[in-house]
């Protein structure tokens, strides 16, 4: 990973920590007074960090000594479980256990629109086409929200009543993975027919773990699927046949979050054991342990993309 790396972790000790990825040194700590931090997201241009708590999302400057938030997005009434940015950082989306997914104007700082899932939302992702949000909820529903039509365009229920914990969409929009509380990951091809609406074609059902999968993530090169679990392990699956490539062991408690480096050579994971780890995926070894949090680390964010002219290349 190059020198221009932004790596942040957060969790239940009400702090957000920024790390030097290679040395493992924490160089900046922010206080998040209101609640635990559930999710972190860094903008593509590496300028802003969003931290999702209960019930607010706060925005911080990445390259700054300012310890205060630059803005707080309020409007949810429960834990915010997902946050993400449109590719140019013009707008942000959030989803919450209050059952709503919201779209916010980052500059005008207002809620532009909202959709109701009628069940607590555990996960939400933005389709690479920037025009659809996909949510997974505690009742087992997966819904596609068409931002142009301003409506739900598709609904799937892989297992009725089994909460969907995590969703991931391939970078080219060709595939979506949904991991659930029972340890199963469902894989669909995403097709666009004559209509503009995305259609899901079942591709694979993967028994990934014996207990909760807390995060699933397709690698940037779309060759591997990572799943992290309450069983303390991280598993890497070959996207071609969904065979197990490698199991990463070392965390001593639940693993909550993971993020790939842009070249898919490394993975960062966050765990209830109060640490985050950096894994070399060529060897399966944890080459760095980020220690400093005093309680469970449930969120990690990494942006190590090459930046030229303010845009990722």
């Amino acid at each position: 990973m190059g020198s221009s790396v932004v790596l942040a972790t957060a969790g239940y000790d009400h702090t957000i920590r920024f790390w030097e990825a290679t040395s493992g040194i924490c160089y900046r700590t922010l206080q998040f007074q209101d609640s635990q931090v559930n999710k972190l997201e860094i903008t593509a241009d590496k300028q802003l960090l969003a931290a999702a708590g209960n019930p607010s999302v706060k925005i911080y400057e990445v390259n700054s000594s300012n310890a205060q938030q630059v803005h707080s997005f309020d409007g949810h009434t429960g834990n915010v479980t997902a946050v993400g940015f449109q590719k140019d950082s013009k707008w942000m989306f959030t989803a919450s256990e209050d059952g709503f997914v919201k779209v916010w104007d980052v500059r005008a700082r207002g809620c532009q629109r909202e959709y109701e899932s009628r069940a607590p939302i555990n996960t939400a992702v933005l389709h690479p086409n920037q025009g659809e949000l996909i949510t997974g909820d505690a009742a087992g529903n997966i819904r596609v929200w068409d931002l142009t039509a301003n409506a739900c365009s598709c609904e799937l229920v892989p297992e009725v009543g089994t909460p969907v914990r995590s969703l991931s969409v391939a970078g080219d929009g060709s595939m979506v993975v949904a991991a659930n509380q029972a340890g199963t990951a469902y894989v669909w091809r995403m097709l666009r027919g004559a209509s503009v609406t995305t259609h899901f074609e079942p591709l694979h059902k993967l028994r990934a773990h014996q207990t909760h999968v807390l995060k699933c993530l397709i690698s940037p090169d779309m060759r591997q699927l990572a799943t992290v679990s309450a069983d303390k392990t991280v598993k890497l699956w070959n996207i071609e046949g969904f065979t197990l490539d490698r199991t990463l062991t070392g965390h001593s408690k639940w693993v909550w979050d993971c993020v790939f480096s842009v070249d898919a050579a490394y993975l960062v994971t966050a765990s209830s054991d109060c640490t985050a780890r950096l894994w070399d995926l060529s060897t399966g070894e944890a080459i760095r342990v980020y220690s400093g949090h005093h309680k469970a680390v449930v969120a990690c964010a990494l942006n190590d993309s090459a930046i030229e002219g303010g845009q990722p290349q």
Side-chain angles (χ1 to χ4, degrees), residues 6-313:
V6 182
L7 172 61
T9 59
Y12 276 74
D13 65 0
H14 294 235
T15 69
I16 300 163
R17 291 178 176 265
F18 288 87
W19 305 88
E20 291 178 3
T22 48
S23 72
I25 294 169
C26 175
Y27 64 89
R28 186 181 177 207
T29 302
L30 302 174
Q31 302 298 318
F32 194 93
Q33 303 288 3
D34 298 9
S35 70
Q36 82 282 357
V37 178
N38 300 314
K39 288 291 174 188
L40 293 173
E41 188 72 25
I42 301 162
T43 54
D45 63 9
K46 302 184 185 178
Q47 296 303 302
L48 300 173
L49 173 85
N54 183 7
S56 299
V57 176
K58 299 185 189 301
I59 306 289
Y60 298 89
E61 291 169 327
V62 170
N63 304 301
S64 169
S65 58
N66 179 13
Q68 302 303 312
Q69 73 217 30
V70 292
H71 192 65
S72 178
F73 289 84
D74 307 303
H76 285 295
T77 58
N79 266 312
V80 180
T81 52
V83 60
F85 292 95
Q86 175 259 358
K87 63 177 195 276
D88 299 321
S89 308
K90 289 190 174 76
W91 51 266
M92 178 180 78
F93 69 88
T94 58
S96 168
E97 289 177 356
D98 65 12
F100 284 92
V101 55
K102 294 175 185 276
V103 176
W104 310 81
D105 186 309
V106 175
R107 292 177 182 84
R109 299 173 181 176
C111 181
Q112 292 181 311
R113 57 183 76 180
E114 63 178 28
Y115 308 106
E116 188 174 8
S117 193
R118 299 187 302 279
I121 301 174
N122 293 326
T123 176
V125 290
L126 177 62
H127 191 289
N129 65 20
Q130 309 293 297
E132 292 170 310
L133 284 167
I134 307 170
T135 60
D137 69 29
N141 305 298
I142 297 167
R143 292 191 175 94
V144 180
W145 306 93
D146 185 322
L147 300 179
T148 305
N150 209 23
C152 180
S153 60
C154 181
E155 191 170 315
L156 290 169
V157 189
E159 280 182 45
V160 176
T162 303
V164 177
R165 295 290 319 192
S166 180
L167 290 164
S168 182
V169 181
D172 64 355
S174 64
M175 182 185 295
V176 63
V177 180
N180 71 20
Q181 191 126 323
T184 303
Y186 289 86
V187 187
W188 294 269
R189 285 206 188 285
M190 296 207 327
L191 307 169
R192 282 179 173 269
S195 72
V196 294
T197 306
T198 296
H199 294 279
F200 290 71
E201 180 184 273
L203 183 64
H204 196 79
K205 180 182 177 181
L206 179 66
R207 189 79 177 108
H209 298 264
Q210 296 300 311
T211 184
H212 319 324
V213 178
L214 301 170
K215 171 90 171 187
C216 63
L217 189 63
I218 299 169
S219 63
D221 62 4
M222 296 180 289
R223 291 183 178 175
Q224 287 190 309
L225 169 70
T227 57
V228 309
S229 171
D231 67 11
K232 310 172 193 175
T233 70
V234 180
K235 293 185 179 182
L236 292 155
W237 308 86
N238 189 311
I239 288 276
E240 285 297 310
F242 293 96
T243 52
L244 182 63
D245 278 348
R246 199 183 284 281
T247 301
L248 308 180
T249 56
H251 281 300
S252 60
K253 292 185 178 177
W254 291 23
V255 187
W256 286 92
D257 200 5
C258 66
V259 59
F260 283 97
S261 61
V262 71
D263 62 2
Y266 301 93
L267 187 76
V268 176
T269 55
S271 168
S272 291
D273 66 12
C274 305
T275 71
R277 288 174 185 249
L278 174 67
W279 306 85
D280 181 339
L281 298 184
S282 65
T283 64
E285 297 297 315
I287 57 174
R288 192 66 63 231
V289 178
Y290 304 103
S291 299
H293 285 286
H294 305 298
K295 291 185 179 179
V297 186
V298 298
C300 54
L302 172 70
N303 184 335
D304 66 326
S305 61
I307 301 278
E308 279 182 34
Q311 289 299 318
Q313 302 298 306

